[in-house]
Amino acid sequence: MSLRLQVADPDAPITELWKRSKTMLYLTRRPGEAVIINNTIEVRVIEVRGRSVKLGFNFPEGASVLREEVHLEIQAENEAAARDARHLLGDSGKIGSGPDKDGRKGGAS
């Protein structure tokens, strides 16, 4: 097994997740071999076919496992909902304190 810790090049065309993490651990595994994360998550290489790798996961019940593109979509939707909520709540954080239809604070008069 080869281990390498590398700082991701901030100018490289990489995903937003990479940009935030700045570091990534690289491992070389063959089919049938696995890595264990936090003593509870097993990631096993099931098959390698060309440029495609099939992975198997064993993880605790209740753990969330998402493909990166799904995770990023959910994260963007959550951020948009939080922005909308802040707009509706206004500065006080209370319902009805956002601007009313005429742009005035406090909702209905």
Side-chain angles (χ1 to χ4, degrees), residues 17 30 32 39-40 43-45 50 55 57-58 64-66 84 107:
L17 191 59
R30 291 184 173 95
N39 294 320
T40 59
V43 180
R44 184 169 298 277
V45 178
L55 301 173
F57 298 86
N58 284 316
S64 174
V65 178
L66 300 171
D84 291 346

Side-chain angles (χ1 to χ4, degrees), residues 34-54:
V35 295
I36 309 299
I37 303 167
N38 287 339
N39 294 320
T40 59
I41 300 170
E42 174 189 352
V43 180
R44 184 169 298 277
V45 178
I46 305 300
E47 178 182 12
V48 177
R49 188 178 295 175
R51 295 185 63 185
S52 180
V53 178
K54 184 185 286 187

